[in-house]
Amino acid sequence: DVKVTQSSRYLVKRTGEKVFLECVQDMDHENMFWYRQDPGLGLRLIYFSYDVKMKEKGDIPEGYSVSREKKERFSLILESASTNQTSMYLCASRVQGDQPQHFGDGTRLSIL
Amino acid sequence: AQSVTQPDIHITVSEGASLELRCNYSYGATPYLFWYVQSPGQGLQLLLKYFSGDTLVQGIKGFEAEFKRSQSSFNLRKPSVHWSDAAEYFCAVGADGNKLVFGAGTILRVKS
């Protein structure tokens, strides 16, 4: 089975901090994704990566950046955390193309 | 732009009763369609997918969905609901660049 692991289930940070969310997948998938999930809004795509060192903006990239130095790891960075970035963050990966995405268990991030 | 509408925010059904969750999409080409389920505190699990061919697709946990092009719908069904089916359900469409666009989700409550 595909395993997508997010480093933290719960995280509390302060406004202005630089925050790193880590995601690792063990199936050699080319594509990786970061979403945020908010009640009533479903999942919204922040950034995605088709391959190592490649990244593309999703629908809501403002205030975020990403890093993919190795194929199995995709990091989401909040450059200067703000309270409106309090949310559930979900990482996903897939082989490529139109294959289904496989999700991690999420990181619930609170910015105080 | 692609969009997905799940008209029902909450649905409550009795255990053993049948279930239908509605999903309507907007997409110019032949869509790739997915249903995911999210249990509390967990990531998203793929229930089923439609790429092409037979418009009635079978998934895991006894779920099925029917693609109706004329109605731009991809409704999820289950003939007899179990208490363990209580969760949030998301419909998604494969969009430009193979991204996924998600609906806002439907929360299913099962009463005994």
Side-chain angles (χ1 to χ4, degrees), chain B residues 5 40-41 88 93 97:
Chain B
T5 302
E88 189 162 15
V93 62

Side-chain angles (χ1 to χ4, degrees), chain B residues 1-44:
Chain B
Q2 298 80 16
S3 66
V4 176
T5 302
Q6 294 180 245
D8 304 304
I9 299 174
H10 297 98
I11 281 187
T12 300
V13 299
S14 298
E15 192 169 15
S18 63
L19 171 70
E20 182 169 33
L21 301 182
R22 296 183 290 165
C23 172
N24 293 96
Y25 66 90
S26 172
Y27 188 54
T30 301
Y32 298 93
L33 295 160
F34 306 85
W35 274 100
Y36 285 87
V37 61
Q38 184 180 35
S39 298
Q42 302 295 317
L44 274 68

